[in-house]
Amino acid sequence: MTTTGAGAARPVGRPRSSQASDAIISATLDLLAEGVTIEALTIEAIASRAGVGKATVYRRWPNKEALVIDAIACLKGATPLLPGRSVREDLVTLLAGMGKANDTPEGRIVLAVLPEIRRNPELSARYAAMVDSRREVIREVFRRGLASGELTPDLDVELALAMLSSPMMSVASMRMFPRVSEERLAERIVDLALAGMRGPAPCE
Amino acid sequence: MTTTGAGAARPVGRPRSSQASDAIISATLDLLAEGVTIEALTIEAIASRAGVGKATVYRRWPNKEALVIDAIACLKGATPLLPGRSVREDLVTLLAGMGKANDTPEGRIVLAVLPEIRRNPELSARYAAMVDSRREVIREVFRRGLASGELTPDLDVELALAMLSSPMMSVASMRMFPRVSEERLAERIVDLALAGMRGPAPCE
Amino acid sequence: MTTTGAGAARPVGRPRSSQASDAIISATLDLLAEGVTIEALTIEAIASRAGVGKATVYRRWPNKEALVIDAIACLKGATPLLPGRSVREDLVTLLAGMGKANDTPEGRIVLAVLPEIRRNPELSARYAAMVDSRREVIREVFRRGLASGELTPDLDVELALAMLSSPMMSVASMRMFPRVSEERLAERIVDLALAGMRGPAPCE
Amino acid sequence: MTTTGAGAARPVGRPRSSQASDAIISATLDLLAEGVTIEALTIEAIASRAGVGKATVYRRWPNKEALVIDAIACLKGATPLLPGRSVREDLVTLLAGMGKANDTPEGRIVLAVLPEIRRNPELSARYAAMVDSRREVIREVFRRGLASGELTPDLDVELALAMLSSPMMSVASMRMFPRVSEERLAERIVDLALAGMRGPAPCE
DNA sequence: CGTTAATCGAGACGGTACGTCCTGTCTTCGG
DNA sequence: CCGAAGACAGGACGTACCGTCTCGATTAACG
């Protein structure tokens, strides 16, 4: 122990190049965005596209799934600006944004990856954490609604979340109403769902 | 042309053995039920398990996905008996059934296959048709509710369907509330959703 | 035994079509002449080329080799006209003919088939019989030479045959002297070989 | 460019294992020696016998033929010791050795492979080079015979070679004289052939 | 003249091998 | 020690033939 002395492991030798890691992540996302299926996605193709040896990939990630998860975690969806005038308006804005995201490259990537996630519990947790950051925005809207009395105080926030986002996702990704705009769909879903969530205030 | 003259094609050569087809489908479902991932599922393993040459598989299906789709189309989920006393009770029964199905071998198979379906539009259509037969039961409940006035006449049935089934599926498959029984979950979802669907009748 | 009474089997049912047999043989020779290797030669290709089902081939020949042997047995090489003026002249004519045959389609077919023959003793015998008919011509020349005293009486005819034909074949098929005509080659081989075969007559 | 600067290419990546190459060659020769036909010889069997992946074979040789050629090039036939007392005695010894070699495993291997060689000109050249080294011994005997006057000065050495070796090979491999020993056959062939090659010396 | 039985073409059958590709590991060299 | 390059054993891919086996439709000769 002649070195730095910090409690952590002392990495000797050449340190890993973060450039390589970035190139690998980018290559993965590129391929995914080009429509390559998860199943058709290949470590060899990723390494070659990243200009990197296969071992450099395997040194960082144990397998394709882990790499893909890390890759999609790097996708940052732009959070839409919320008007903040009412719970309904905010939810419609958020849901419409979710629906539209299905058509962006990022949305397609996430969709492609989704099924693999369900299988691996560890990855599932990491994915949940990632998704949670996006849900947090909706949760915040709910909290404001509860405070303002727009929403009933005994609302189960997590369940309400599912009641809103999962119909939107399934309707949008299945293209069940191809002629209806995302905004209109979001409105109808929010209206239907909110009916059971409204607070007692505006009853009379 | 002195003969039957039927317009149909007369198949020449030895006809395909339906026994082989059945064995292949069974082998596929077996492997899937044993927890083999779609990605890990192998035509070679299927053929070997079915006691069949690889060519016999490829003669019928062009690839794994097509085969898997045909295989799951053979899964017949038992439709639960509906009490029929009220829309709410029926929907709770149906949703609870859907939730529980996630834990059956059939449910796991369908979940494993779902993601691949979204990719291929042709298969997607075939899957939709299959799912539709199960949705039809819910639709029937809706129709009865509309007739009895339990549901508002301007209800969008398809959207309402999505509002019920997709939250149930996502909540159940993600195990978001691991301690709550499927029945209780179903009740809460139905109650939340129905609030926006009730007819004017019980207003007084 | 109510029938014809001949010792032979009485074939009932539809007799085999000799047309089919001929088509199969022709197809085989065609493919061989087009340069298809024995190894690359396929029963399926033969049957398809002959417009015949595979079973029709297998009903007649147990395997590719047997079929090929029967096919080449149908090749009739044109025997060159012999001047008959002297043993030397006749042998040169015959050998030159043998050398030239290497460049004909038939020659190429035989060459292609030769190696397989060495392996199967039964086929080897059939091939020997076929070849023998061509050797018989040379044997006849030898006999005339022995009678006329041109050749030494203690000549081993079979060995002498090998001494003439095998150098010619190997030299020609290996193209060892690409610039020398077959006639010139034949002359030189015959002259070299005849030296040890001459009779005592022209000694003085 | 501060380094060695040799014009040769510097191989990058892990070098090919010569152990694997050797194992592949050995496996090939083993199978051939066990009587497996060239046609029945299988890359898969070779790889498995060599304890090697198929790709490792295909990385080195493009096909079975190329591999087999390389394999037989590794067969070293023991050159018989030559008495050196006379051209005749030496040739008889050599030819008898050639004849006997047909019964050794190596001889059978070469015979099995011969036909394939004739087809591919490139392989043909490589085979010729290999055979040439064995012919060189005979050529040396001829040269000594020319020097000593035992052979006529205008002898065409290459043709003389063919006049001796090809009859021996064909007679031996076809087993035309099954009861005659190789030595006796060799004597008779050499005597017949030498008659046309003798020098003027012993004329008186 | 209708039965009978082997034939025909077509093509499916369980297998085996093909030659390619990818996996995850390993060696090499240069930095 | 990292990095690219690429070889390694293993195994699945989808294709092509093997030799056998149904199919329905002909074809003779027998009865």
PDB file of all heavy atoms in Angstrom, chain C residues 4 7 22-23 32 35 53 108 110-111 125 169 175 178 182 188 204:
ATOM      1  N   THR C   4     -47.784 -67.855 -66.936  1.00  0.00           N
ATOM      2  CA  THR C   4     -46.868 -68.093 -68.050  1.00  0.00           C
ATOM      3  C   THR C   4     -45.909 -69.244 -67.856  1.00  0.00           C
ATOM      4  O   THR C   4     -45.458 -69.832 -68.829  1.00  0.00           O
ATOM      5  CB  THR C   4     -46.065 -66.822 -68.367  1.00  0.00           C
ATOM      6  OG1 THR C   4     -45.602 -66.276 -67.132  1.00  0.00           O
ATOM      7  CG2 THR C   4     -46.944 -65.806 -69.059  1.00  0.00           C
ATOM      8  N   GLY C   7     -39.637 -69.474 -65.774  1.00  0.00           N
ATOM      9  CA  GLY C   7     -39.008 -69.412 -64.461  1.00  0.00           C
ATOM     10  C   GLY C   7     -38.980 -68.008 -63.895  1.00  0.00           C
ATOM     11  O   GLY C   7     -38.958 -67.821 -62.692  1.00  0.00           O
ATOM     12  N   ASP C  22     -34.707 -43.676 -69.219  1.00  0.00           N
ATOM     13  CA  ASP C  22     -33.869 -42.974 -70.192  1.00  0.00           C
ATOM     14  C   ASP C  22     -33.678 -41.528 -69.803  1.00  0.00           C
ATOM     15  O   ASP C  22     -32.561 -40.983 -69.872  1.00  0.00           O
ATOM     16  CB  ASP C  22     -34.521 -43.051 -71.583  1.00  0.00           C
ATOM     17  CG  ASP C  22     -34.531 -44.470 -72.106  1.00  0.00           C
ATOM     18  OD1 ASP C  22     -33.909 -45.341 -71.449  1.00  0.00           O
ATOM     19  OD2 ASP C  22     -35.165 -44.727 -73.139  1.00  0.00           O
ATOM     20  N   ALA C  23     -34.770 -40.900 -69.384  1.00  0.00           N
ATOM     21  CA  ALA C  23     -34.669 -39.489 -69.013  1.00  0.00           C
ATOM     22  C   ALA C  23     -33.694 -39.309 -67.854  1.00  0.00           C
ATOM     23  O   ALA C  23     -32.909 -38.352 -67.814  1.00  0.00           O
ATOM     24  CB  ALA C  23     -36.043 -38.947 -68.630  1.00  0.00           C
ATOM     25  N   LEU C  32     -23.329 -34.174 -65.665  1.00  0.00           N
ATOM     26  CA  LEU C  32     -21.905 -34.504 -65.611  1.00  0.00           C
ATOM     27  C   LEU C  32     -21.151 -33.739 -66.694  1.00  0.00           C
ATOM     28  O   LEU C  32     -20.076 -33.173 -66.462  1.00  0.00           O
ATOM     29  CB  LEU C  32     -21.735 -36.006 -65.802  1.00  0.00           C
ATOM     30  CG  LEU C  32     -21.208 -36.872 -64.651  1.00  0.00           C
ATOM     31  CD1 LEU C  32     -21.305 -36.183 -63.319  1.00  0.00           C
ATOM     32  CD2 LEU C  32     -21.905 -38.199 -64.639  1.00  0.00           C
ATOM     33  N   GLY C  35     -20.112 -30.271 -66.237  1.00  0.00           N
ATOM     34  CA  GLY C  35     -19.026 -29.994 -65.310  1.00  0.00           C
ATOM     35  C   GLY C  35     -19.379 -30.167 -63.850  1.00  0.00           C
ATOM     36  O   GLY C  35     -18.595 -29.843 -62.962  1.00  0.00           O
ATOM     37  N   GLY C  53     -40.064 -38.013 -60.375  1.00  0.00           N
ATOM     38  CA  GLY C  53     -40.014 -37.984 -58.924  1.00  0.00           C
ATOM     39  C   GLY C  53     -38.777 -38.693 -58.406  1.00  0.00           C
ATOM     40  O   GLY C  53     -38.249 -39.593 -59.061  1.00  0.00           O
ATOM     41  N   ARG C 108     -14.412 -36.183 -70.208  1.00  0.00           N
ATOM     42  CA  ARG C 108     -14.481 -35.489 -68.928  1.00  0.00           C
ATOM     43  C   ARG C 108     -15.396 -36.206 -67.946  1.00  0.00           C
ATOM     44  O   ARG C 108     -15.120 -36.281 -66.754  1.00  0.00           O
ATOM     45  CB  ARG C 108     -14.930 -34.044 -69.161  1.00  0.00           C
ATOM     46  CG  ARG C 108     -13.724 -33.101 -69.277  1.00  0.00           C
ATOM     47  CD  ARG C 108     -14.119 -31.678 -69.503  1.00  0.00           C
ATOM     48  NE  ARG C 108     -14.366 -31.407 -70.925  1.00  0.00           N
ATOM     49  CZ  ARG C 108     -15.514 -31.010 -71.429  1.00  0.00           C
ATOM     50  NH1 ARG C 108     -16.546 -30.817 -70.624  1.00  0.00           N
ATOM     51  NH2 ARG C 108     -15.650 -30.786 -72.717  1.00  0.00           N
ATOM     52  N   VAL C 110     -15.965 -39.443 -67.822  1.00  0.00           N
ATOM     53  CA  VAL C 110     -15.286 -40.632 -67.308  1.00  0.00           C
ATOM     54  C   VAL C 110     -14.250 -40.236 -66.269  1.00  0.00           C
ATOM     55  O   VAL C 110     -14.141 -40.847 -65.198  1.00  0.00           O
ATOM     56  CB  VAL C 110     -14.633 -41.415 -68.465  1.00  0.00           C
ATOM     57  CG1 VAL C 110     -13.785 -42.546 -67.914  1.00  0.00           C
ATOM     58  CG2 VAL C 110     -15.703 -41.953 -69.388  1.00  0.00           C
ATOM     59  N   LEU C 111     -13.500 -39.179 -66.573  1.00  0.00           N
ATOM     60  CA  LEU C 111     -12.501 -38.733 -65.616  1.00  0.00           C
ATOM     61  C   LEU C 111     -13.136 -38.369 -64.282  1.00  0.00           C
ATOM     62  O   LEU C 111     -12.613 -38.684 -63.210  1.00  0.00           O
ATOM     63  CB  LEU C 111     -11.747 -37.520 -66.165  1.00  0.00           C
ATOM     64  CG  LEU C 111     -10.499 -37.856 -66.966  1.00  0.00           C
ATOM     65  CD1 LEU C 111      -9.765 -36.602 -67.371  1.00  0.00           C
ATOM     66  CD2 LEU C 111      -9.587 -38.756 -66.135  1.00  0.00           C
ATOM     67  N   ALA C 125     -15.670 -53.797 -61.086  1.00  0.00           N
ATOM     68  CA  ALA C 125     -15.756 -54.905 -62.035  1.00  0.00           C
ATOM     69  C   ALA C 125     -16.558 -54.489 -63.264  1.00  0.00           C
ATOM     70  O   ALA C 125     -16.167 -54.754 -64.405  1.00  0.00           O
ATOM     71  CB  ALA C 125     -16.412 -56.105 -61.355  1.00  0.00           C
ATOM     72  N   MET C 169      -2.629 -41.814 -70.707  1.00  0.00           N
ATOM     73  CA  MET C 169      -3.703 -41.192 -69.930  1.00  0.00           C
ATOM     74  C   MET C 169      -3.139 -40.191 -68.924  1.00  0.00           C
ATOM     75  O   MET C 169      -3.649 -39.075 -68.783  1.00  0.00           O
ATOM     76  CB  MET C 169      -4.498 -42.270 -69.173  1.00  0.00           C
ATOM     77  CG  MET C 169      -5.287 -43.194 -70.060  1.00  0.00           C
ATOM     78  SD  MET C 169      -6.509 -42.311 -71.052  1.00  0.00           S
ATOM     79  CE  MET C 169      -7.751 -41.962 -69.809  1.00  0.00           C
ATOM     80  N   ARG C 175      -1.813 -32.965 -68.459  1.00  0.00           N
ATOM     81  CA  ARG C 175      -1.299 -31.935 -69.361  1.00  0.00           C
ATOM     82  C   ARG C 175       0.173 -31.633 -69.079  1.00  0.00           C
ATOM     83  O   ARG C 175       0.569 -30.484 -68.891  1.00  0.00           O
ATOM     84  CB  ARG C 175      -2.114 -30.651 -69.205  1.00  0.00           C
ATOM     85  CG  ARG C 175      -3.570 -30.854 -69.470  1.00  0.00           C
ATOM     86  CD  ARG C 175      -4.395 -29.608 -69.386  1.00  0.00           C
ATOM     87  NE  ARG C 175      -5.807 -29.975 -69.503  1.00  0.00           N
ATOM     88  CZ  ARG C 175      -6.377 -30.410 -70.633  1.00  0.00           C
ATOM     89  NH1 ARG C 175      -5.653 -30.481 -71.736  1.00  0.00           N
ATOM     90  NH2 ARG C 175      -7.642 -30.752 -70.656  1.00  0.00           N
ATOM     91  N   PRO C 178       1.984 -29.540 -72.546  1.00  0.00           N
ATOM     92  CA  PRO C 178       0.813 -28.855 -73.150  1.00  0.00           C
ATOM     93  C   PRO C 178       1.049 -28.453 -74.597  1.00  0.00           C
ATOM     94  O   PRO C 178       0.089 -28.265 -75.341  1.00  0.00           O
ATOM     95  CB  PRO C 178       0.617 -27.640 -72.260  1.00  0.00           C
ATOM     96  CG  PRO C 178       1.801 -27.540 -71.371  1.00  0.00           C
ATOM     97  CD  PRO C 178       2.545 -28.821 -71.406  1.00  0.00           C
ATOM     98  N   GLU C 182      -1.230 -34.601 -79.452  1.00  0.00           N
ATOM     99  CA  GLU C 182      -1.473 -35.963 -78.992  1.00  0.00           C
ATOM    100  C   GLU C 182      -0.778 -36.976 -79.920  1.00  0.00           C
ATOM    101  O   GLU C 182      -0.270 -37.995 -79.460  1.00  0.00           O
ATOM    102  CB  GLU C 182      -2.983 -36.256 -78.951  1.00  0.00           C
ATOM    103  CG  GLU C 182      -3.642 -35.842 -77.661  1.00  0.00           C
ATOM    104  CD  GLU C 182      -3.941 -34.358 -77.616  1.00  0.00           C
ATOM    105  OE1 GLU C 182      -3.873 -33.720 -78.687  1.00  0.00           O
ATOM    106  OE2 GLU C 182      -4.219 -33.829 -76.527  1.00  0.00           O
ATOM    107  N   ARG C 188       5.870 -40.951 -79.465  1.00  0.00           N
ATOM    108  CA  ARG C 188       7.020 -41.110 -78.584  1.00  0.00           C
ATOM    109  C   ARG C 188       6.794 -42.222 -77.561  1.00  0.00           C
ATOM    110  O   ARG C 188       7.709 -42.994 -77.253  1.00  0.00           O
ATOM    111  CB  ARG C 188       7.325 -39.785 -77.883  1.00  0.00           C
ATOM    112  CG  ARG C 188       7.943 -38.780 -78.858  1.00  0.00           C
ATOM    113  CD  ARG C 188       7.807 -37.359 -78.379  1.00  0.00           C
ATOM    114  NE  ARG C 188       8.723 -37.088 -77.282  1.00  0.00           N
ATOM    115  CZ  ARG C 188       8.793 -35.911 -76.665  1.00  0.00           C
ATOM    116  NH1 ARG C 188       8.015 -34.917 -77.063  1.00  0.00           N
ATOM    117  NH2 ARG C 188       9.631 -35.731 -75.685  1.00  0.00           N
ATOM    118  N   GLU C 204      18.586 -58.633 -88.030  1.00  0.00           N
ATOM    119  CA  GLU C 204      19.776 -58.644 -88.894  1.00  0.00           C
ATOM    120  C   GLU C 204      19.925 -57.356 -89.697  1.00  0.00           C
ATOM    121  O   GLU C 204      18.955 -56.640 -89.940  1.00  0.00           O
ATOM    122  CB  GLU C 204      19.749 -59.868 -89.825  1.00  0.00           C
ATOM    123  CG  GLU C 204      18.895 -59.711 -91.057  1.00  0.00           C
ATOM    124  CD  GLU C 204      17.428 -59.779 -90.781  1.00  0.00           C
ATOM    125  OE1 GLU C 204      16.979 -59.414 -89.674  1.00  0.00           O
ATOM    126  OE2 GLU C 204      16.692 -60.195 -91.656  1.00  0.00           O
TER     127      GLU C 204
END
